[in-house]
Amino acid sequence: MGNPKQKKKDKKTYNLILKKKKMSVKPGRLPDSILQPFLSLPQHGNVQVEYVWIGGTCLDLRSKTRTLPGPIKNVSDLPEWNYDGSSTGQAPGSDSEVILKPVRIFPDPFRGGDNILVLCETFTPQGEPIPTNKRNPAKKIFDKGLQLKPWYGFEQEYTMFESDKKTPFGWPEGGYPAPQGPYYCSVGAENAFGRPIVEAHYRACLASGITISGINGEVMPGQWEYQVGPVEGIDAADQLFISRYLLLRVAELFGVVISFDPKPIPGDWNGAGLHTNYSTEPMRKEGGYKVIIEAIERLSKKHEEHIKVYGEGNERRLTGAHETAPITKFSYGVANRGCSIRIPRQAEREQKGYFEDRRPASNGDPYAISSKIFETTCL
């Protein structure tokens, strides 16, 4: 018959284990540990190729996988593919086929081995770039002045949210944490929320060959930043989009939502930007400070044009508060984070270097941003 007390104790222990298991996996999510043994299975000379492209909002990232004989080292070895553009807001249902043309290869940090991620441009069946293909016109702009060797360093800020998409990660549900102050570049469980995601993303970028140059916690709790660069020309935006893709994939494993909204929480909380550091070879040479000032003066004359391509909802962020300049006013200064353009103190001292455009929003399109800056300052 057994000991009734022991049975009761065993049942209590079983229920506790079951409860813990349920708590460890969010609704709609599966434990990633189950997948791991399968990733070491042989592929018999085949590789999984993840085609990645930008969707209909020019911000959403999409991808799908196909099997090809491997290893694959060159973009020219990859076939074109297609997808249903009516499901991504990029084509009508009556003529829904959009063509994917591979442009860059990156190692796949999730599958490992010879498996790869492939960044693609999007075209009509007739070979014309579709309206949401911002890379194609950007590359044409860069191709007009390749000898100037433009370098970019993107500072990508983002905010983590719980699965409800309302509560920033680490915030009390329905409430607010302590005011801003202790969170920027912070350490400690009471200040830094979501570090495992940040570290996992960092390594994923390194494994994929992204020129990720650093990470740090931001001013608002649950908000972080990583930097990509310096990278030359169109490659900078290519790498930033793939780094965003990697971030979304990593956060997916943790059951956390990533927001690139430039002002995710209204009120006395910092927004999120895509500060863009920029230089050309003449700016980096001796006497380049004069070229920097000339470039900034050119930017001042096209302030409104730039704001139009610097991201959606930026008016909620560029208010003149929280380390921003007003969206209606152009300004620049040395070491001044309240200006549209910040010149580093080092650039002033050495009379050469780079400057930082602080206007772009965190959800800005790096193709549109980088090519617009180059076009205005150089062409």
Side-chain angles (χ1 to χ4, degrees), residues 181-192:
Y183 309 110
Y184 173 69
C185 296
S186 65
V187 295
E190 73 279 19
N191 296 323

Side-chain angles (χ1 to χ4, degrees), residues 21 24-26 28-38 253:
K21 283 185 176 180
S24 67
V25 181
K26 294 184 178 182
R29 308 222 57 80
L30 300 172
D32 183 56
S33 57
I34 296 174
L35 171 64
Q36 295 310 310
F38 293 91
L253 296 172

Side-chain angles (χ1 to χ4, degrees), residues 154-352:
F154 291 114
E155 301 175 23
Q156 178 68 72
E157 295 177 340
Y158 61 94
T159 309
M160 299 182 192
F161 276 81
E162 298 284 358
S163 56
D164 62 7
K165 299 183 182 180
K166 297 177 182 178
T167 308
F169 194 72
W171 286 38
E173 189 174 350
Y176 294 89
Q180 295 184 155
Y183 309 110
Y184 173 69
C185 296
S186 65
V187 295
E190 73 279 19
N191 296 323
F193 310 122
R195 191 182 296 277
I197 293 174
V198 177
E199 292 289 348
H201 174 246
Y202 200 158
R203 289 297 183 93
C205 284
L206 289 172
S208 291
I210 302 296
T211 311
I212 183 169
S213 49
I215 55 172
N216 61 267
E218 268 303 329
V219 179
M220 190 183 88
Q223 190 179 86
W224 292 80
E225 173 187 302
Y226 66 92
Q227 302 90 36
V228 170
V231 183
E232 188 173 321
I234 198 72
D235 289 346
D238 286 348
Q239 290 197 29
L240 190 74
F241 262 120
I242 288 296
S243 75
R244 286 179 177 178
Y245 173 82
L246 295 176
L247 178 58
L248 295 170
R249 285 284 306 274
V250 167
E252 176 187 320
L253 296 172
F254 286 88
V256 169
V257 176
I258 299 297
S259 171
F260 295 109
D261 190 287
K263 186 70 174 178
I265 301 296
D268 194 18
W269 303 98
N270 273 36
L274 181 63
H275 301 154
T276 302
N277 299 279
Y278 169 71
S279 70
T280 59
E281 189 170 62
M283 295 179 194
R284 298 188 293 270
K285 288 184 174 180
E286 295 299 323
Y289 195 75
K290 179 183 177 182
V291 185
I292 289 174
I293 298 301
E294 289 173 352
I296 294 173
E297 291 294 343
R298 285 190 172 196
L299 289 172
S300 71
K301 295 177 173 60
K302 294 190 175 183
H303 176 62
E304 291 183 3
E305 284 185 30
H306 280 253
I307 289 297
K308 288 178 181 178
V309 300
Y310 275 11
E312 297 295 325
N314 215 6
E315 72 282 351
R316 294 182 282 116
R317 169 180 162 263
L318 297 181
T319 61
H322 303 108
E323 301 180 84
T324 69
I327 196 169
T328 56
K329 182 181 178 182
F330 182 89
S331 59
Y332 71 92
V334 176
N336 189 341
R337 283 178 162 77
C339 285
S340 307
I341 303 291
R342 178 184 69 88
I343 302 172
R345 187 71 69 188
Q346 182 180 1
E348 180 193 44
R349 183 172 61 251
E350 297 180 356
Q351 291 293 291
K352 63 180 180 179

